[in-house]
Amino acid sequence: MSELFSTPIHPLIFFLLGAILIAVLPATKDKIASIITVIIPVVSFISLLQWQQGSFGFYQLLGLELTLLKIDGLSLLFAYLFHLAAFIAGIYAFHINDRLQQAASLLYVGSALGAVFAGDWITLFIFWELLALTSVMLILSRRTQASYRSSIRYFIIQVLSGVLLFSGALMIAHQAGTPSITALVLNTDILSINTGYDVAIWLIFIAYGIKCGFPLFHSWVADAYPQATPTGAIFLISITTKVAIYALARSFAGTDFLVTIGLVMSCFPIIFAIIENDLRRVLAYSIISQIGFMICAIGIGTEMAINGAVATAFNHVIYKSLLMMSMGAVLLRVGHVDGSHLGGLYKSMPKTAIFSIIGALSISTPLFAGFVSKAIIMSEMLKAGHIIGWLLLLAAAAGVFLASGIKAPYFAFFAKDSGLRVKEAPTNMLFAMTIAAVLCLVIGIFPSTLYSILPYPIDYSPYDVTHVVTQLQLLFFSTFAFVWLSRKNWYPSELRSTNLDIDWFYRKLFPKAWMKVCQFSHLSHQCFVLLSTKVLNNVVMSLAKYSRPDALLGRAWSINGMLLSLLCVLLFVLFFNYSQ
């Protein structure tokens, strides 16, 4: 086995072969296709364990030497994460018989692995765009009108990100002679110094920001993820934004501006999550908030902060997938996840309800996964002197627990009984949720299991008395606030509606403005046609008036009169020519 995998085999090859096998299998071999989606991550992971750090897979493109495989601690951790996510999601999706979704999910994971192992921006761009192409299939697979429209909006935004990345990469390659990702200086505020690559840096920065869900670019997360299939959403929340977090950590670590962006991202989505009715959209908004924590850590830029960012990304995939899997099971059995029309499902889906509670506790509760990674970020915020930022992150942690940790499980399973009686989630879904729940507990109780694979050495214990007590107080406050507001009927009512934020501009304002422009153009055209018709009618009537047999133009002219008219015309032409 060690001889077989002594040379790095790009994981994309395994996932590409798996997708091809699924595509060519006979229609009667649906279970084999499901087995392939589970086996491929295992085989690829075995290959990954044999790798040595270094750069491999050099190739020439347009006179530039590009690197297909750059293996180090940072890229390996995200590779482990994506393999784990693919394995859990493959088990969760084992019951489906949808070749498009199954093949697209394997190609999607393979593209993500290609992106994190890319050693230059050109290679990164190629896989960046493959991510967009393959992930949009997971939204289209829902096969509804809403998912179709959402997939178009999602695809446009993702392609825009790729175009900006490619433009910046070409500028770097032209000016520096190399498209290497390490061409930019790491661990410094590269956005505030004059490096000669200012425009290129900003283009790449915005490209990463779009895929991360920066403020003003974030609405695609809440728009697209809830429209994906129940199984496709698990792949989406595990990969797209995490690839962008990796890219930021690789190229923009230590950029102070990211701390401000991260703080804004941590706080504002909580408002929308609280008033949102679609529980998968609630979780999507909380994803944006949690990404804000990671971006703050990347902005600080120390090795310990980067450890905190990637550890939070690792844990976030596990516990947020667990929450989304529980909501996906509800969507599968009920047909919707509107909090206003759920409640009492714990009676018929008790196991799913328990897993949902574990996912909620894992957000930031001691002895669960989220606590041991966020503790690093909070500690680094204090060390960096960001006191106000530390307070804002504390408030954001409480808000996220309130919005997605309490609201989503409560309205789905424990609110006023809606009378719904459905089957428990399929066995494969329960098994996938079991794996995620066990990981949440193991990482929370034994954080060294995660700390040992972080990119930088770490000697940290998250269970100091101050941090534990502070976090428990915040969680208690969040729970008390939810209960008190609910009993007072002050908590926002769950109404079947779609709340819009920045996407109001392109989903409401721009279409209405375009309709007005079209209406004005149509009205202007009608007025022009009517006016032109009227003028032509008047001209025709005038000509008809003077063309009657007894009129000036209709009666016969004498030879002398005709000669006199021609002479006048000739004199006018001669005068006009010689006057120039």
Side-chain angles (χ1 to χ4, degrees):
M1 183 66 72
S2 60
E3 293 180 359
L4 179 63
F5 296 122
S6 58
T7 301
I9 300 176
H10 201 296
L12 176 62
I13 296 175
F14 295 104
F15 287 90
L16 177 60
L17 290 175
I20 293 173
L21 283 174
I22 289 175
V24 300
L25 278 175
T28 57
K29 304 296 183 180
D30 291 326
K31 287 304 176 185
I32 295 179
S34 298
I35 292 172
I36 290 173
T37 60
V38 176
I39 290 179
I40 289 297
V42 176
V43 175
S44 180
F45 183 72
I46 294 173
S47 170
L48 189 66
L49 291 177
Q50 311 300 318
W51 287 12
Q52 300 294 323
Q53 296 192 17
S55 297
F56 308 90
F58 302 103
Y59 66 102
Q60 295 288 330
L61 180 66
L62 302 176
L64 297 170
E65 186 176 89
L66 308 181
T67 306
L68 196 62
L69 280 169
K70 180 179 177 60
I71 306 169
D72 59 14
L74 185 61
S75 58
L76 278 175
L77 181 132
F78 278 89
Y80 295 152
L81 173 61
F82 294 157
H83 279 85
L84 176 61
F87 177 70
I88 295 175
I91 294 175
Y92 186 77
F94 194 83
H95 65 284
I96 68 170
N97 298 318
D98 187 343
R99 298 297 179 84
L100 173 64
Q101 190 176 169
Q102 291 168 321
S105 63
L106 288 181
L107 289 175
Y108 180 47
V109 178
S111 301
L113 291 166
V116 299
F117 284 123
D120 59 86
W121 278 306
I122 303 298
T123 304
L124 177 62
F125 160 75
I126 294 172
F127 290 110
W128 200 267
E129 292 296 76
L130 284 175
L131 275 172
L133 288 170
T134 51
S135 59
V136 76
M137 298 301 174
L138 300 177
I139 305 172
L140 283 171
S141 296
R142 183 95 178 268
R143 294 179 175 86
T144 64
Q145 188 65 26
S147 66
Y148 169 75
R149 293 176 178 174
S150 178
S151 67
I152 297 299
R153 293 190 292 267
Y154 172 86
F155 186 67
I156 291 172
I157 292 173
Q158 297 300 315
V159 169
L160 173 62
S161 173
V163 170
L164 295 175
L165 175 61
F166 187 61
S167 302
L170 288 182
M171 290 182 182
I172 293 290
H174 175 71
Q175 296 179 29
T178 173
S180 172
I181 291 179
T182 58
L184 298 182
V185 179
L186 299 181
N187 298 318
T188 185
D189 191 353
I190 59 178
L191 294 180
S192 64
I193 61 177
N194 184 12
T195 62
Y197 312 130
D198 296 346
V199 175
I201 290 172
W202 276 105
L203 289 175
I204 295 172
F205 183 77
I206 295 173
Y208 291 172
I210 291 174
K211 201 173 281 287
C212 269
F214 278 4
L216 303 182
F217 300 116
H218 66 277
S219 57
W220 66 266
V221 178
D223 180 21
Y225 286 6
Q227 291 300 333
T229 62
T231 55
I234 311 306
F235 286 96
L236 289 173
I237 68 173
S238 302
I239 290 176
T240 300
T241 53
K242 306 310 177 293
V243 170
I245 289 295
Y246 162 81
L248 278 177
R250 173 69 70 188
S251 301
F252 291 90
T255 304
D256 290 340
F257 187 43
L258 284 174
V259 176
T260 303
I261 294 176
L263 290 174
V264 175
M265 289 183 67
S266 299
C267 297
F268 85 87
I270 297 171
I271 300 173
F272 294 100
I274 289 175
I275 64 176
E276 182 57 56
N277 182 46
D278 187 316
L279 298 182
R280 293 210 300 174
R281 279 177 64 90
V282 171
L283 297 180
Y285 275 115
S286 69
I287 289 172
I288 301 171
S289 178
Q290 298 297 282
I291 292 171
F293 280 76
M294 307 171 206
I295 291 176
C296 284
I298 295 172
I300 295 171
T302 63
E303 290 186 353
M304 192 68 172
I306 298 299
N307 278 339
V310 298
T312 301
F314 194 98
N315 290 334
H316 181 256
V317 167
I318 298 172
Y319 68 72
K320 193 62 69 177
S321 293
L322 182 54
L323 278 168
M324 191 66 84
M325 283 190 284
S326 65
M327 294 302 112
V330 172
L331 177 63
L332 177 69
R333 292 309 193 196
V334 179
H336 67 84
V337 283
D338 295 331
S340 56
H341 292 71
L342 295 175
L345 285 179
Y346 75 92
K347 297 178 180 178
S348 51
M349 303 181 72
K351 297 176 184 177
T352 304
I354 292 172
F355 289 130
S356 178
I357 293 172
I358 294 175
L361 292 174
S362 298
I363 295 174
S364 52
T365 306
L367 300 180
F368 290 88
F371 177 83
V372 302
S373 54
K374 287 182 183 175
I376 303 175
I377 297 177
M378 303 299 289
S379 175
E380 289 302 299
M381 286 290 287
L382 284 177
K383 289 181 180 179
H386 296 289
I387 305 300
I388 296 178
W390 179 78
L391 292 173
L392 288 174
L393 288 185
L394 279 179
V400 167
F401 185 74
L402 172 64
S404 61
I406 299 177
K407 175 178 177 174
Y410 173 76
F411 282 105
F413 300 102
F414 304 104
K416 183 179 179 181
D417 195 342
S418 60
L420 292 171
R421 295 296 179 266
V422 295
K423 293 182 180 180
E424 179 60 275
T427 303
N428 63 289
M429 283 187 166
L430 293 175
F431 185 47
M433 286 188 273
T434 301
I435 296 174
V438 169
L439 287 173
C440 287
L441 287 167
V442 169
I443 295 174
I445 298 173
F446 306 104
S448 59
T449 56
L450 174 60
Y451 292 169
S452 62
I453 62 173
L454 294 179
Y456 302 107
I458 181 172
D459 182 15
Y460 179 76
S461 176
Y463 290 107
D464 62 272
V465 176
T466 302
H467 183 65
V468 171
V469 172
T470 301
Q471 199 65 33
L472 288 176
Q473 288 175 336
L474 285 174
L475 299 179
F476 174 78
F477 172 78
S478 300
T479 306
F480 174 78
F482 180 82
V483 173
W484 185 71
L485 291 172
S486 298
R487 291 183 65 86
K488 291 288 187 179
N489 293 323
W490 291 351
Y491 194 85
S493 301
E494 296 298 307
L495 303 174
R496 178 167 283 184
S497 61
T498 300
N499 297 309
L500 302 179
D501 51 271
I502 195 66
D503 53 341
W504 176 83
F505 286 96
Y506 60 81
R507 294 181 67 177
K508 293 294 183 180
L509 179 61
F510 293 165
K512 287 184 178 180
W514 178 249
M515 288 296 296
K516 293 295 183 182
V517 170
C518 292
Q519 290 174 359
F520 177 77
S521 176
H522 180 66
L523 182 61
S524 300
H525 177 262
Q526 286 183 322
C527 292
F528 175 77
V529 170
L530 290 174
L531 181 61
S532 300
T533 303
K534 187 174 182 179
V535 170
L536 288 174
N537 284 335
N538 291 334
V539 171
V540 171
M541 292 298 294
S542 298
L543 291 175
K545 178 179 178 181
Y546 290 104
S547 298
R548 293 196 302 269
D550 58 340
L552 178 64
L553 298 178
R555 67 171 181 259
W557 285 26
S558 65
I559 295 177
N560 292 334
M562 289 292 295
L563 291 174
L564 180 62
S565 300
L566 291 174
L567 180 61
C568 291
V569 172
L570 179 62
L571 289 174
F572 174 78
V573 171
L574 292 173
F575 174 78
F576 180 79
N577 285 334
Y578 285 102
S579 64
Q580 300 299 318

